[in-house]
Amino acid sequence: MVGRANKPSALAATPGLAPQPTVTFSPDNSRVTAELPTGESVEVLLYGATVISWKDSKGDEKLWLSSAAKLDGTKAVRGGIPLVFPVFGPPPPAPHPTSTLPQHGFARTSVWEFLGKSTSESTPATGEGAADLSVKLDFGLSTASLSAEAQSLWPYKFNLIYSLTLSPSTLTTSLVVTNDDDKPFDSQVLLHTYLRVNDITSVSISGLSNSPYLDKLLSPQAQTSGTSDLTITAETDRVYSTPNGASDAVTVLENGKPRFVVTRDNLAQVVVWNPWTEKASGMGDFEPKDGYKNMLCVEPGAVGTWQTLEPGDAFEGAQTISIPN
Ligand code: BG6
């Protein structure tokens, strides 16, 4: 018989016995859910590779999703994290190659493939406790899997890999665009995150001060922000190009307390959008109509100009949304 002193410690240290993240598919295979042993979860529709839910360990939802959002693949999802590619907003006029595409492109309305999951473990730098587990989900979209219509509207061979990494207090979403064509192409990418807030009138946003921005609701659009934090008191639709580019973190606070910290990798712009009353009323898939009080879009993107990719080249951009303690 093995001595008792050896037995429990040897078993407890066996990594294979630790609880692992779970990844499950819906019965119709239209969505993937990942859950950490500590209770955090993320749910992703293959339609658009759209994240439609991100919950913390207590089950509190971090993203806003319209109760009228179409989740059946008939329309881009109103809420969660839709993916914008290869054009942001209404496309520019002909002869630009994106000119016939729909607003925000086709990535959010195409069916992606689930490529697989991986898990990793990181030991906290300080303090006691078990290692943090994280789970990464990979999704792919390439020219061959586009609808015939989208292929004809944007005639380039490309490959997209979208990776979501869920850890106990962060969600990272990262997009890699590869040019598989034999000619260069221009594209824009943006991660259209709808953050859930308790009350927009208590929200302030730091990290956008002293920044040039385009105000899509003003003419001329070119503006520069002042020194104070941004508050939302009316329809807001701005494209910030923060002074230090992707290294400027954006923090969303409620009643002065940080709720979300958004950091970026290689995404020089941040769009801040809230439709407020009138615009929300005009959107059939925006419900409840006063839902604008509970959401704020903070959208990291590379949309200030066009990313030109030569054949074989790749562009990678990412956001990490952290939940402060
Ligand atoms: C934002 C744009 O990113 O998305 C806004 O800056 C736009 O101009 C909003 O209204 C929502 O777009 P859509 O196509 O999802 O209604």
Side-chain angles (χ1 to χ4, degrees):
M1 195 175 155
V2 181
R4 182 161 173 75
N6 296 334
K7 210 161 69 175
S9 57
L11 287 175
T14 307
L17 294 182
Q20 291 296 305
T22 57
V23 175
T24 50
F25 277 85
S26 62
D28 65 356
N29 284 334
S30 68
R31 53 180 85 179
V32 189
T33 302
E35 187 170 346
L36 298 181
T38 36
E40 298 82 0
S41 64
V42 68
E43 191 173 4
V44 188
L45 280 189
L46 292 187
Y47 181 74
T50 315
V51 181
I52 54 169
S53 169
W54 170 34
K55 289 181 181 161
D56 67 14
S57 61
K58 297 190 203 94
D60 288 337
E61 182 59 59
K62 301 296 165 195
L63 301 176
W64 184 85
L65 178 68
S66 164
S67 61
K70 299 279 184 217
L71 303 179
D72 60 358
T74 55
K75 189 179 192 308
V77 175
R78 178 68 60 206
I81 314 181
L83 256 173
V84 169
F85 173 88
V87 61
F88 165 67
H96 196 273
T98 61
S99 67
T100 53
L101 287 176
Q103 157 135 319
H104 292 340
F106 52 72
R108 64 177 181 165
T109 52
S110 298
V111 178
W112 291 58
E113 188 185 349
F114 177 59
L115 301 177
K117 64 146 189 176
S118 48
T119 57
S120 61
E121 217 174 297
S122 65
T123 308
T126 54
E128 301 280 312
D132 279 349
L133 273 175
S134 65
V135 61
K136 178 166 164 274
L137 307 177
D138 292 321
F139 300 86
L141 182 73
S142 58
T143 319
S145 48
L146 281 190
S147 68
E149 191 201 352
Q151 280 192 37
S152 70
L153 295 181
W154 199 66
Y156 296 101
K157 289 201 182 68
F158 68 92
N159 187 56
L160 301 181
I161 303 285
Y162 187 46
S163 303
L164 310 178
T165 306
L166 174 69
S167 70
S169 58
T170 63
L171 177 66
T172 297
T173 82
S174 155
L175 184 67
V176 180
V177 182
T178 307
N179 182 347
D180 283 345
D181 214 313
D182 53 13
K183 52 189 180 297
F185 65 67
D186 284 352
S187 68
Q188 297 177 322
V189 306
L190 175 125
L191 309 169
H192 198 309
T193 312
Y194 289 71
L195 297 173
R196 168 171 280 279
V197 297
N198 292 320
D199 177 3
I200 193 72
T201 63
S202 308
V203 166
S204 56
I205 304 150
S206 72
L208 299 173
S209 50
N210 302 313
S211 174
Y213 67 93
L214 297 180
D215 192 322
K216 292 169 124 189
L217 307 174
L218 292 181
S219 180
Q221 294 191 338
Q223 308 282 331
T224 303
S225 56
T227 51
S228 40
D229 288 355
L230 174 67
T231 53
I232 309 290
T233 54
E235 182 183 352
T236 304
D237 194 354
R238 298 179 175 186
V239 183
Y240 286 86
S241 292
T242 51
N244 303 304
S247 42
D248 286 316
V250 175
T251 302
V252 176
L253 305 99
E254 274 205 88
N255 296 312
K257 189 170 174 249
R259 289 278 317 273
F260 300 100
V261 180
V262 181
T263 53
R264 293 171 281 151
D265 186 11
N266 211 19
L267 298 175
Q269 279 73 43
V270 180
V271 176
V272 176
W273 181 64
N274 183 294
W276 213 250
T277 49
E278 263 179 55
K279 180 116 197 225
S281 319
M283 287 188 281
D285 62 350
F286 195 103
E287 291 286 352
K289 288 301 171 205
D290 65 356
Y292 72 89
K293 292 178 184 165
N294 301 117
M295 51 79 57
L296 176 69
C297 283
V298 175
E299 312 162 25
V303 298
T305 176
W306 295 93
Q307 314 302 317
T308 303
L309 281 184
E310 297 297 326
D313 279 359
F315 170 86
E316 179 167 10
Q319 66 172 347
T320 294
I321 314 168
S322 311
I323 313 286
N325 285 326

